[in-house]
Amino acid sequence: MEPVQEQVAAARRGDANAISDLVRSVWPDAYRIAWSILQDHADAEDAAQDACARMMTALASLRDPARFGVWFYRIVVNQARQKQREHLRRRDLTQDTHVVGLTPDERIDVARAIAALEPSLRIVIVLRYFYELNSSEISAVLGINAVTVRWRLMRAHRRLRPLLEPSTQLQGECLDEPLASS
């Protein structure tokens, strides 16, 4: 049995240490996924906390512990989207929240390029390349058709290409900055 599956089994039995270990092990991923949707550290932290709490209350409903990751990522995405909807209800809809002012000759790192994507494209890129989920798994996490996932990935690639060519070199350190938990 995989370590996460063992933690899940022990947490389901009520083992307080396993519950604590499970939450600690999923927290970084929860935060990063929430941040990729919300683009705000405080909101991402709130959504990640909500996701961890929801995970613990719903753990008994998990049918296949081997699919824990996909199941949990779905909870995180839902919590982040809920937080996003709350903000939309409160803010003035005339405000533009998109990243603007990027010129073709401006050097931009991968993290900023990803942040410039609309949320529906940004999340598929993050789940595909940072969490190495395939289209079927992303489909399960987001609750959308796998064809839609592939279409969004294609659109995201098309939008990222001009931001990353030719002046920008893809370097690993560019990926770490905004997706790292604080």
Side-chain angles (χ1 to χ4, degrees), residues 33 37 70 73-74 77-78 81 119-120 123-124 127 136-145 149 152:
I33 291 169
I37 294 169
V70 170
Y73 296 160
R74 171 92 186 219
V77 167
N78 287 340
R81 284 180 172 168
S120 65
I123 189 62
V124 295
L127 292 173
S136 297
E137 292 168 327
I138 295 170
S139 170
V141 168
L142 298 178
I144 59 176
N145 188 296
V149 169
R152 287 182 184 178

Side-chain angles (χ1 to χ4, degrees), residues 52-150:
C52 287
R54 175 78 180 115
M55 171 195 67
M56 294 314 305
T57 61
L59 200 54
S61 71
L62 175 61
R63 290 185 209 134
D64 182 4
R67 304 223 357 116
F68 173 79
V70 170
W71 176 81
F72 178 65
Y73 296 160
R74 171 92 186 219
I75 291 172
V76 175
V77 167
N78 287 340
Q79 293 300 317
R81 284 180 172 168
Q82 182 177 342
K83 173 79 61 191
Q84 199 171 43
R85 284 189 297 272
E86 290 169 8
H87 280 290
L88 286 174
R89 283 188 288 256
R90 283 188 243 136
R91 78 166 230 259
D92 179 4
L93 294 177
T94 62
Q95 295 176 347
D96 184 13
T97 60
H98 296 287
V99 176
V100 294
L102 301 177
T103 62
D105 60 349
E106 181 179 3
R107 293 184 61 91
I108 181 169
D109 64 17
V110 174
R112 282 189 55 206
I114 292 171
L117 293 173
E118 62 192 71
S120 65
L121 301 181
R122 185 171 51 241
I123 189 62
V124 295
I125 288 291
V126 168
L127 292 173
R128 173 68 187 102
Y129 295 104
F130 289 80
Y131 293 94
E132 300 179 354
L133 299 182
N134 63 37
S135 295
S136 297
E137 292 168 327
I138 295 170
S139 170
V141 168
L142 298 178
I144 59 176
N145 188 296
V147 173
T148 303
V149 169
R150 289 188 292 275

Side-chain angles (χ1 to χ4, degrees), residues 4 7-8 11 15-31 48-57 59 68 72 76:
V4 170
Q7 287 177 331
V8 169
D15 181 334
N17 289 330
I19 292 169
S20 183
D21 290 345
L22 185 60
V23 170
R24 265 196 300 279
S25 73
V26 300
W27 173 259
D29 289 345
Y31 175 83
Q49 286 176 350
D50 293 345
C52 287
R54 175 78 180 115
M55 171 195 67
M56 294 314 305
T57 61
L59 200 54
F68 173 79
F72 178 65
V76 175

